[in-house]
Amino acid sequence: MEQQQRSAWERQLLIRDKNRPTVHDYIPRIFTDFYEMHGDRGYGDDGALIGGIGRLDGLPVTILAQVKGRNLQENKKSNFAMPHPEGYRKALRLAHQAEKFHRPVICLIDTPGAFCGVEAEERGQGEAIARNMMEFMMLKTPIISVVLGEAGSGGALALGVCDELAMLENALYSVISPRGCASILWKDASREQDACEVLQITAEDMLRFGVAEAIIPEPFGGAQEDIDKISENLKEYLVKTTTEKLQKDLDVLQKERYTKFRKIGVFQEQ
Amino acid sequence: MGLEDLFKNVTKRFNDEELPENEPTVKCPRCQQVVPESRFQELNKVCPNCNYHGRLRATERLRLTADKGSFVEYDTEMQTVDPLNFPGYAKKVESLQELTGLKDAVVTGECTIKGSRTVLIVMDSHFMMASMGSVVGEKITRAFETATKKGLPVVAFTASGGARMQEGILSLMQMAKTSGAVAKHSEAGLLYMTVLTDPTTGGVTASFASLGDIILAEPKILIGFAGRRVIEGTIKQRLPGNFQLAEFMQEKGFVDMIVERRSMRSVLSHLLKLHGYEKEGTN
Ligand SMILES: [Zn+2]
């Protein structure tokens, strides 16, 4: 993949492709004995963010994943991967369960963002995201996050407070959708292609800013070209990283996690 | 003018006899009532008709909150370096710095409130709608870290349009950074109170603003994650007028108390003392 770097816009098109693999493809290829666990124990179950327990190369882990549908029917069920507060609260419940049983947490991020709607507001979308970030920061078990396709704003970051973040090679991570950015900046949503470049949202950008630690290579035509191969790459990364993090003292792990985020930001002081 | 952005000066006269000729007026963004500016200022920017609590500048908030002369500011010189070289950003910041006298959208420091020492965070919506970029995130994080080190409580007056798009992913990460700093402060057993002011939205609602041990809000102010227009666009219908107002959010369970501006200082003081922050410098 050293040939030529794709532009952010080219990657945007690649991850929008309807054949781009989703967690439905990855989970069975990477994990064994996967059991999905439902509900936040307060309001309901959110199909946009699923959670469960499984084995990663034999090791029990907790999996939290945002669900892109492969067709309209699946997307209806998963709300196009835009979680409501109960989705984030389910994730937090399962993360604490993982902590109790010393299981690493694997977060698979793939969302345009948290859902923006009346009920999401009424049930405290902001509070749910905030609490996840605060409590994931203190969680006494390893957390590894991977951006599979798109990672949109706070809705992604709610699964993104972790010990290490990996990006699939063509995945994008952004504070605002390029379309939204274009409409605010130039009053012209059709200039999203320009916004894509201005915002600096590629995997390489994430490494440069200290947001991500690793890039998982994709086949030339993107993850969709060879789902088995990309799953293998992803699994290999997860096994290596969880093994490494499990060897750390929990206080050290937590301190390093705090430091990872503490360092991010650029400013001057005369 | 020195007026609220939202309170546009109204040149059109209504046949209101009580208004002397040519007295400047302001229009309340909540109830649309036209009010003499002098009356509005007298009430510290509260609407006499509907009790909407208007947007204060950081300096005004400090004057109403801290004991006179007690405020010592932290990190006075910190400012942005336009990390993404984002179109128009540097120029915008420069002109706002000139206009507001602020370096960025938050003022942090230490003060006493009726004798109780506390770290104070005040966001100012007059600076790029108090969006959170690297500077805002760093100053808030440092304020929490200093409070943790000194064993002090934190009182944060929040206001924000959300993350600062012009700093891209760096601004998003400030949500995680500040939430982490709140977690450490909380772990040390220290009190954190947030006061939500108009408007508290987006990435600030989805981080430190929602994480207070106690969450207060001023009357009639806007609190939300998503913008009203975004939601209306999604559901293709108009939302009720009280949607996302402080009273609505309290009913939904996200605000402990709604507190009037004129009693805010004494409520904060009582709550600090109820948590044992009695005298200057002690816990
Ligand atoms: Zn009014």
Side-chain angles (χ1 to χ4, degrees), chain B residues 28 30-33 47 49-52:
Chain B
C28 172
R30 287 284 178 274
C31 70
Q32 315 303 323
Q33 179 92 351
C47 172
N49 184 49
C50 76
N51 202 30
Y52 162 67

Side-chain angles (χ1 to χ4, degrees), chain B residues 16-66:
Chain B
D16 190 337
E17 289 154 34
E18 285 170 67
L19 287 184
E21 209 54 43
N22 295 326
E23 170 159 17
T25 56
V26 291
K27 187 172 165 186
C28 172
R30 287 284 178 274
C31 70
Q32 315 303 323
Q33 179 92 351
V34 176
V35 178
E37 193 197 336
S38 56
R39 180 77 186 123
F40 178 62
Q41 293 294 355
E42 206 175 274
L43 294 168
N44 290 311
K45 302 187 175 173
V46 172
C47 172
N49 184 49
C50 76
N51 202 30
Y52 162 67
H53 279 45
R55 298 169 185 181
L56 294 182
R57 292 177 185 282
T59 46
E60 296 169 314
R61 183 71 69 182
L62 287 170
R63 178 171 53 77
L64 292 176
T65 309

Side-chain angles (χ1 to χ4, degrees), chain B:
Chain B
M1 271 275 127
L3 261 187
E4 288 302 305
D5 295 344
L6 265 181
F7 279 75
K8 287 200 207 84
N9 230 39
V10 180
T11 44
K12 200 175 140 201
R13 283 273 155 219
F14 291 80
N15 20 337
D16 190 337
E17 289 154 34
E18 285 170 67
L19 287 184
E21 209 54 43
N22 295 326
E23 170 159 17
T25 56
V26 291
K27 187 172 165 186
C28 172
R30 287 284 178 274
C31 70
Q32 315 303 323
Q33 179 92 351
V34 176
V35 178
E37 193 197 336
S38 56
R39 180 77 186 123
F40 178 62
Q41 293 294 355
E42 206 175 274
L43 294 168
N44 290 311
K45 302 187 175 173
V46 172
C47 172
N49 184 49
C50 76
N51 202 30
Y52 162 67
H53 279 45
R55 298 169 185 181
L56 294 182
R57 292 177 185 282
T59 46
E60 296 169 314
R61 183 71 69 182
L62 287 170
R63 178 171 53 77
L64 292 176
T65 309
D67 293 340
K68 211 172 169 194
S70 72
F71 184 72
V72 179
E73 193 178 345
Y74 300 154
D75 304 311
T76 54
E77 301 307 311
M78 197 187 295
Q79 58 179 324
T80 184
V81 290
D82 187 11
L84 266 50
N85 206 359
F86 199 93
Y89 181 39
K91 238 175 101 184
K92 184 163 190 180
V93 165
E94 205 184 312
S95 75
L96 277 168
Q97 287 178 334
E98 218 161 282
L99 200 71
T100 61
L102 299 165
K103 288 274 195 280
D104 210 301
V106 71
V107 175
T108 57
E110 221 173 291
C111 71
T112 56
I113 297 175
K114 297 197 179 191
S116 301
R117 181 152 292 273
T118 183
V119 165
L120 195 60
I121 294 169
V122 180
M123 301 182 84
D124 191 328
S125 62
H126 300 82
F127 196 103
M128 282 185 91
M129 200 34 85
S131 59
M132 178 158 67
S134 297
V135 173
V136 170
E138 180 70 19
K139 283 177 81 167
I140 287 170
T141 301
R142 285 191 193 178
F144 275 97
E145 287 175 340
T146 304
T148 306
K149 205 159 45 184
K150 292 188 174 181
L152 291 174
V154 175
V155 174
F157 287 87
T158 63
S160 184
R164 190 169 293 176
M165 173 184 87
Q166 293 87 343
E167 292 191 23
I169 200 71
L170 294 173
S171 67
L172 187 71
M173 292 300 135
Q174 304 310 310
M175 292 167 61
K177 186 163 114 181
T178 54
S179 299
V182 173
K184 297 271 179 199
H185 183 256
S186 183
E187 191 187 41
L190 300 165
L191 174 68
Y192 168 36
M193 293 193 279
T194 53
V195 183
L196 311 178
T197 76
D198 199 55
T200 298
T201 63
V204 166
T205 296
S207 61
F208 64 93
S210 292
L211 297 173
D213 296 300
I214 294 175
I215 299 181
L216 310 178
E218 290 191 315
K220 296 281 167 80
I221 60 113
L222 185 79
I223 305 162
F225 174 67
R228 192 187 171 90
R229 255 166 297 164
V230 175
I231 299 170
E232 286 180 335
T234 311
I235 63 170
K236 309 260 184 284
Q237 58 189 31
R238 292 293 303 268
L239 290 160
N242 70 339
F243 183 70
Q244 292 180 322
L245 294 194
E247 294 72 13
F248 176 89
M249 291 311 282
Q250 184 180 43
E251 195 186 298
K252 297 298 170 193
F254 295 96
V255 172
D256 285 300
M257 280 192 273
I258 294 176
V259 179
E260 306 256 334
R261 191 164 285 168
R262 57 186 153 77
S263 39
M264 186 63 76
R265 189 172 129 84
S266 89
V267 169
L268 289 173
S269 157
H270 284 141
L271 291 172
L272 285 168
K273 290 185 167 74
L274 274 167
H275 290 81
Y277 301 101
E278 280 289 347
K279 276 179 287 169
E280 159 119 27
T282 61
N283 179 4

Side-chain angles (χ1 to χ4, degrees), chain A residues 37-58:
Chain A
M37 305 286 158
H38 294 272
D40 71 339
R41 301 291 190 267
Y43 176 82
D45 189 45
D46 189 347
L49 199 168
I50 62 168
I53 311 167
R55 286 183 192 274
L56 172 67
D57 199 27

Side-chain angles (χ1 to χ4, degrees), chain A residues 118 121-126 130 133 137-138 157 175 198 200 209 258 261-262 264 266-270, chain B residues 78-79 81 84 86 134 138 141-142 145 169 172 174 176-177 179-180 187 206-207 224-226 239 244 254:
Chain A
V118 175
E121 292 295 312
E122 289 177 343
R123 298 202 286 275
Q125 189 70 284
M133 290 189 299
M137 196 65 87
M138 306 300 271
L157 187 55
V175 66
V198 163
Q200 305 180 31
F209 291 129
Y258 182 80
F261 289 92
R262 179 67 189 86
I264 303 177
V266 184
F267 49 86
Q268 63 177 354
E269 297 175 88
Q270 277 129 355
Chain B
M78 197 187 295
Q79 58 179 324
V81 290
L84 266 50
F86 199 93
S134 297
E138 180 70 19
T141 301
R142 285 191 193 178
E145 287 175 340
I169 200 71
L172 187 71
Q174 304 310 310
K177 186 163 114 181
S179 299
E187 191 187 41
S207 61
F225 174 67
L239 290 160
Q244 292 180 322
F254 295 96

Side-chain angles (χ1 to χ4, degrees), chain A residues 231-248:
Chain A
S231 301
E232 204 178 289
N233 293 352
L234 181 49
K235 182 175 177 181
E236 192 184 314
Y237 167 78
L238 288 173
V239 170
K240 177 178 105 9
T241 317
T242 44
T243 311
E244 198 182 293
K245 298 296 174 191
L246 274 171
Q247 282 161 1
K248 285 189 187 266

